[in-house]
Amino acid sequence: MENCQFQLRSEHVRLCDLLKLVGIVGSGGEGKHLVAEGAVTVDGLSESRKTAKIRAGQRVECRGVRIDVLAAA
């Protein structure tokens, strides 16, 4: 599994936007589709909320990529 880190610019980022920002998907719509399919986990649990607020310290996994979310600088 590939690991990457994402540093927040604010308190949180929407899940579908995070998938787009790290390059897993090409658009927010594609991200929403993956979430709806159940292909995304947050902290090891399947996440079905497309606009779930992802905060620092959480871990998102999708398509063989593990994203560790870091606090804003």
Side-chain angles (χ1 to χ4, degrees):
M1 181 167 287
E2 178 185 342
N3 291 311
C4 73
Q5 294 182 331
F6 178 81
Q7 187 162 14
L8 293 169
R9 295 184 193 125
S10 62
E11 185 179 321
H12 60 80
V13 63
R14 295 183 330 161
L15 178 57
C16 58
D17 293 336
L18 174 66
L19 298 176
K20 181 174 70 171
L21 290 168
V22 298
I24 293 176
V25 297
S27 68
E30 187 180 352
K32 288 178 182 179
H33 183 72
L34 280 178
V35 174
E37 287 181 337
V40 181
T41 64
V42 176
D43 295 332
L45 301 173
S46 182
E47 180 58 74
S48 60
R49 298 172 297 152
K50 300 169 185 103
T51 58
K53 294 178 180 177
I54 304 302
R55 301 184 191 302
Q58 291 190 292
R59 176 174 282 172
V60 176
E61 293 184 19
C62 181
R63 289 187 172 170
V65 178
R66 179 181 297 137
I67 308 159
D68 291 313
V69 180
L70 307 175

